[in-house]
Amino acid sequence: MHDDQTQNRQTMEAADLKSMDISQLAVFLGSLGEPPFRAKQIFEWMHKKRAVDLEQMTNLSKDLRSRLRQSAKLTVLRPVRVQTSKLDGTKKYLFALEDGNSIESVLMRYRHGNSVCISSQVGCRMACRFCASTIGGLVRDLSPSEMLEQIYRVEADCGERVSHVVVMGTGEPLDNYDNLLQFLRLLSDPNGLPISQRNITVSTCGIAPKIRALADEKLQITLALSLHAPTQKKRERLMPVAAQYELCEVMEACDCYFAKTGRRMTFEYSLIHGVNDTPEDAEELAALLAGKNCHVNLIPVNPVRERDFVQPDGYETLAFKNKLEKYKINVTIRRELGRDIDGACGQLRKKYEEGCGGA
Ligand code: SAH
């Protein structure tokens, strides 16, 4: 076997320390003959003190550090490009993963704090027609440590705390369910620098059985459903996943999420001119959501180079919102941030991989 193949195998088999909770770390350290209290020490080094190298963990013996280097790894993402919006200070990051893949994350600054939008997969297999992230299909799932690292590296870069996290970047989080759950637990672990579950939002295209499974976890996170159309027929045209999980089944799963967690659902609706933004669409949407304790987020569709979808103008967007409000639906129009820096999901990564470097 070639040297680099041997090295590859070693990297692949190395235990991913940053993806483990304290009890898993204790089991792993036990296998190295170490006492359980080491687990909390190492956990704090990674998640509280944000060590980027095992060598920084100075209360571990040299010998233990060297044994850890042989059998484990400390996942750290490398920023390869950072773009800052001149309009609103939004920052878009392109991170390199260990295996050469790259992912995007976005820092948005609001009055209520800093919010980071993270990716959950490299690429996506959901094939929503208006989305740039899905054009090359799914490459692979992200590990819990790779999801966490996006937040840690953004904090290190901007020198500020992140208070809110939205899992709305590239990928379908519920298609990477186990890693997502582990990530959510680590992110809100009181032994790290916890982010309150109430400040975490997970957005899904509507994988109904996984929404029900998530409801049973009884987390306090906000769940956002990418609705984008008020009827099954229209939704299928925009989102292939709708053929697999019908609208009524998805809405029932969302009701179940609210019933079990008490958390109000968010429904995302990307307005596409001439496709889903007519007064009839608004009426149908109001009927679909009638009586639900929910919030609707209207997002004028972000034009993607490979797609020919067009945003409604400001007047049409407002008319859609007003119609929903007439039916007493809670609704906001999402402020567009970072328009000048490849705002739409997946656009920066695509440009980078095509070699035109986010110019
Ligand atoms: N897979 C998840 C999360 C990633 S996408 C989901 O489907 O929810 C995050 C949100 O951005 C989703 O609501 C998605 O439908 C929306 N989105 C994707 N491309 C968009 C575009 N070009 N314009 C507006 N919204 C878009």
Side-chain angles (χ1 to χ4, degrees), residues 156-256:
D157 174 80
C158 72
E160 295 169 31
R161 276 307 312 274
V162 165
S163 55
H164 291 67
V165 171
V166 293
V167 189
M168 280 193 191
T170 297
E172 167 49 45
L174 299 191
D175 188 38
N176 183 15
Y177 186 81
D178 293 340
N179 286 341
L180 175 82
L181 262 196
Q182 178 76 350
F183 157 75
L184 294 172
R185 292 205 182 99
L186 293 171
L187 186 60
S188 52
D189 190 307
N191 293 297
L193 271 186
I195 292 188
S196 156
Q197 287 189 357
R198 291 175 169 263
N199 290 353
I200 304 172
T201 300
V202 171
S203 177
T204 176
C205 62
I207 301 182
K210 297 288 188 207
I211 294 176
R212 285 180 182 275
L214 193 64
D216 286 329
E217 301 291 337
K218 300 215 172 51
L219 302 175
Q220 281 300 292
I221 61 165
T222 299
L223 185 64
L225 176 76
S226 298
L227 191 53
H228 305 323
T231 61
Q232 172 64 16
K233 218 165 141 209
K234 241 184 198 173
R235 199 162 181 266
E236 261 182 51
R237 263 185 260 147
L238 292 172
M239 305 173 72
V241 70
Q244 204 176 344
Y245 305 108
E246 290 218 359
L247 185 56
C248 56
E249 187 189 347
V250 176
M251 295 309 282
E252 274 172 24
C254 291
D255 288 345
C256 163

Side-chain angles (χ1 to χ4, degrees), residues 28-43:
F28 174 69
L29 288 159
S31 74
L32 299 180
E34 291 293 321
F37 72 86
R38 291 268 178 245
K40 190 154 179 252
Q41 284 179 327
I42 295 178
F43 192 91

Side-chain angles (χ1 to χ4, degrees), residues 124 126 128 130-132 167-173 203-206 224-228 239 268-270 299-304 334 344-345:
C124 182
M126 297 299 143
C128 297
F130 43 81
C131 182
V167 189
M168 280 193 191
T170 297
E172 167 49 45
S203 177
T204 176
C205 62
L225 176 76
S226 298
L227 191 53
H228 305 323
M239 305 173 72
E268 292 161 281
Y269 196 100
S270 295
I299 314 153
V301 76
N302 223 323
V304 172
R334 185 186 293 167
C345 316

Side-chain angles (χ1 to χ4, degrees), residues 18 41-54 56-57 74-76 148-157 159-162 165 186-187 189 191-195:
K18 214 175 265 180
Q41 284 179 327
I42 295 178
F43 192 91
E44 287 186 351
W45 274 115
M46 293 188 293
H47 301 284
K48 204 175 247 175
K49 301 180 201 155
R50 304 288 167 80
V52 291
D53 196 299
L54 290 166
Q56 291 173 310
M57 304 187 182
L74 194 62
T75 300
V76 179
L148 282 170
E149 262 293 302
Q150 297 174 58
I151 302 156
Y152 296 176
R153 283 313 108 221
V154 168
E155 284 194 339
D157 174 80
E160 295 169 31
R161 276 307 312 274
V162 165
V165 171
L186 293 171
L187 186 60
D189 190 307
N191 293 297
L193 271 186
I195 292 188

